[in-house]
């Protein structure tokens, strides 16, 4: 498929990093372009025994033939970006849009001083909310004003739409998740923007008719970091017993967790216009799944769960994560 958009179906941290890096290796897109809020999202990529925690550089970096772009809707922290570019060795293929707004030190300081944001909402202390507010006031500075970014500046919507017009593959990487969307999430316990599929497309400058597929990513259980409602949340001791305990990539805070929520998943398919779904961490709920790549080789109980998800949400589960590493993926898409 020419243009595929990947988004989160729960509260973020569904494992989009794993999924996007798998799709990049498998489908070899000419462009992987990141949408979403900014460096408040941490994608983890485990590839060839190495773990990368990426907050700015698109996870498609694992495929060396992919140009890596950051859309104008994304807030950029130059320090975080330049460190990651170095870490991933992607100096020659990274581009950020001229119109990305820039997070400055003052945005982080302002957030830290704001008890409503930090204590009540439990924000990530990355300055994204305060920078996004400045952007709404039209006070935020744009990437084109920063000499240290000059070599990376480009017109992202033009690059992406040109590739799509040539029927080349483009992978659009969303961040965060449906239920922390400013519009569709658990307000006020949510992020500073909409992060559903149509917003991710707007972030990178593509129209709805340019998209062929939307993959909504769920985890085999639900996790949530920070404050806000989480139905059927399990106590910490139970999470430890089940091996479901996780820690945030950006904040290192323990994530809260609950069993898979069919109702939320069904609504996420609707809100994102998903054409297919992915489920990660099946190996955590059903340990015999670890490393399996063939659907038929999954234990019966796990297959039953996948079929139940499909029948409740109304789209096929085409991709399944069976371990943190990029290769540990079941791919049921028609090739
Ligand atoms: P956000 O953009 O912040 O929402 O992040 P994300 O969706 O990329 O997820 P993140 O990397 O923050 O968290 C997912 C965690 O699950 C990471 O620690 C991954 O390494 C891990 N992970 C992803 N897929 C799998 C899987 O199939 N099995 C196992 N065991 N771990 C996985
Ligand atoms: Mg994350």
């Amino acid at each position: 498929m020419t243009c595929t958009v990947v988004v989160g179906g729960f509260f973020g941290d569904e494992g989009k990093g794993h999924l996007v890096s798998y799709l990049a290796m498998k489908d070899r897109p000419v462009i992987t372009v990141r949408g979403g809020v900014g460096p408040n999202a941490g994608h983890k990529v485990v590839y060839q025994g190495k773990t990368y925690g990426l907050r700015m550089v698109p996870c498609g970096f694992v495929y060396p033939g992919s140009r890596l772009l950051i859309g104008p809707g994304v807030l950029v922290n130059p320090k975080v970006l330049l460190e990651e570019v170095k870490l991933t060795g992607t100096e020659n293929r990274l581009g950020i849009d001229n119109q990305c707004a820039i997070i400055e030190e003052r945005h982080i300081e302002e957030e830290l001083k704001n008890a409503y944001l930090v204590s009540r909402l439990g924000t990530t202390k990355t300055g994204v909310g305060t920078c996004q507010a400045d952007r709404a006031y039209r006070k935020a500075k744009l990437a084109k004003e920063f000499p240290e970014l000059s070599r990376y500046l480009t017109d992202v919507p033009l690059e992406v739409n040109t590739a799509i017009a040539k029927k080349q593959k483009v992978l659009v990487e969303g961040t965060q998740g449906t239920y922390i969307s400013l519009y569709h999430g658990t307000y006020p316990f949510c992020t500073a923007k909409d992060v559903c599929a149509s917003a991710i497309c707007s972030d990178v400058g593509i129209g709805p008719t340019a998209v062929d597929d939307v993959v909504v990513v769920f985890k085999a259980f639900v996790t949530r970091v920070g404050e806000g409602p989480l139905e059927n949340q399990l106590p910490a001791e139970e999470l430890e017993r089940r091996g479901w305990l996780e820690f945030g990539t950006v904040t290192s805070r323990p994530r809260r967790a609950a069993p898979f929520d069919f109702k939320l998943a069904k609504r996420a398919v609707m809100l994102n216009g998903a054409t297919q779904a992915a489920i990660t961490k099946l190996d955590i709920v059903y340990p015999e799944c670890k490393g399996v790549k063939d659907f038929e080789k999954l234990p019966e109980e796990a297959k039953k769960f996948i079929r139940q998800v499909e029948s409740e949400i109304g789209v096929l589960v085409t991709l399944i994560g069976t371990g943190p590493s990029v290769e540990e993926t079941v791919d049921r898409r028609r090739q």
Side-chain angles (χ1 to χ4, degrees):
M1 283 299 172
T2 305
C3 179
T4 301
V5 181
V6 178
V7 290
F10 287 146
F11 297 92
D13 306 321
E14 298 90 354
K16 295 177 290 297
H18 174 174
L19 244 293
V20 169
S21 44
Y22 170 78
L23 291 175
M25 290 305 292
K26 179 80 188 172
D27 296 356
R28 305 169 154 251
V30 298
I31 292 175
T32 306
V33 56
R34 186 156 172 160
V37 187
N40 53 337
H43 285 313
K44 204 174 270 182
V45 175
V46 184
Y47 182 57
Q48 295 183 333
K50 245 182 119 176
T51 300
Y52 303 83
L54 299 179
R55 296 160 57 188
M56 298 257 57
V57 168
C59 298
F61 89 92
V62 293
Y63 168 54
S66 198
R67 173 120 167 99
L68 307 170
L69 299 175
I70 298 179
V74 179
L75 306 174
V76 168
N77 179 324
K79 193 165 159 265
V80 175
L81 176 77
L82 297 175
E83 270 169 23
E84 287 183 10
V85 169
K86 216 166 133 198
L87 175 82
T88 51
T90 50
E91 288 87 352
N92 296 325
R93 53 194 179 106
L94 182 100
I96 70 171
D97 194 82
N98 297 300
Q99 303 243 80
C100 289
I102 298 297
I103 300 172
E104 297 175 74
E105 209 41 52
R106 65 187 172 86
H107 292 119
I108 298 171
E109 284 161 19
E110 217 181 295
E111 179 176 338
L112 288 174
K113 279 190 275 180
N114 188 323
Y116 176 71
L117 290 177
V118 174
S119 305
R120 169 119 165 88
L121 301 188
T123 54
T124 56
K125 307 186 180 108
T126 50
V128 293
T130 41
C131 181
Q132 186 66 14
D134 263 5
R135 192 173 208 178
Y137 276 123
R138 275 81 83 200
K139 288 196 308 197
K141 292 195 176 130
L142 301 183
K144 59 189 173 195
E145 299 171 61
F146 290 76
E148 73 264 40
L149 297 176
S150 60
R151 69 173 285 197
Y152 301 112
L153 295 179
T154 186
D155 180 338
V156 168
L158 183 64
E159 282 200 42
V160 171
N161 285 286
T162 303
I164 292 173
K166 288 194 216 155
K167 304 246 179 287
Q168 292 176 325
K169 280 184 189 160
V170 171
L171 184 54
V172 183
E173 175 177 337
T175 61
Q176 281 88 16
T178 300
Y179 295 101
I180 56 169
S181 156
L182 180 65
Y183 299 160
H184 306 292
T186 53
Y187 187 89
F189 302 102
C190 56
T191 193
K193 280 184 22 182
D194 181 21
V195 287
C196 294
S198 33
I200 299 295
C201 291
S202 158
D203 288 340
V204 305
I206 56 177
T209 50
V211 177
D212 299 294
D213 260 307
V214 176
V215 182
V216 61
V217 185
F218 303 110
K219 205 180 267 185
F221 48 98
V222 186
T223 60
R224 172 158 210 173
V225 77
E227 302 304 313
L230 176 63
E231 253 187 78
N232 303 316
Q233 183 179 333
L234 295 166
E237 314 80 71
E238 179 61 17
L239 295 185
E240 208 151 344
R241 199 184 62 77
R242 295 187 185 204
W244 290 11
L245 210 56
E246 290 180 11
F247 295 89
T249 313
V250 179
T251 57
S252 305
R253 292 178 293 191
R255 290 176 184 160
R256 296 182 283 141
F260 191 88
D261 189 322
F262 292 92
K263 201 174 77 211
L264 289 185
K266 186 171 182 190
R267 188 172 168 82
V269 167
M270 176 185 84
L271 290 168
N272 291 288
T275 56
Q276 44 186 305
I279 293 192
T280 63
K281 290 211 156 187
L282 198 64
D283 56 303
I284 299 294
V285 178
Y286 305 100
E288 315 90 279
C289 296
K290 171 75 182 157
V292 173
K293 293 177 192 172
D294 179 353
F295 185 76
E296 291 313 320
K297 296 203 174 113
L298 293 173
E300 206 42 55
E301 217 189 343
K303 282 195 268 192
K304 208 174 128 204
F305 167 68
I306 297 291
R307 292 194 188 108
Q308 189 192 353
V309 172
E310 293 180 328
S311 92
E312 301 238 4
I313 68 176
V315 293
L316 294 178
V317 176
T318 51
L319 296 152
I320 299 167
T322 57
S325 199
V326 171
E327 324 66 80
E328 294 174 298
T329 308
V330 175
D331 189 344
R332 304 165 76 206
R333 295 175 300 163
R334 253 175 281 140
Q335 301 298 316

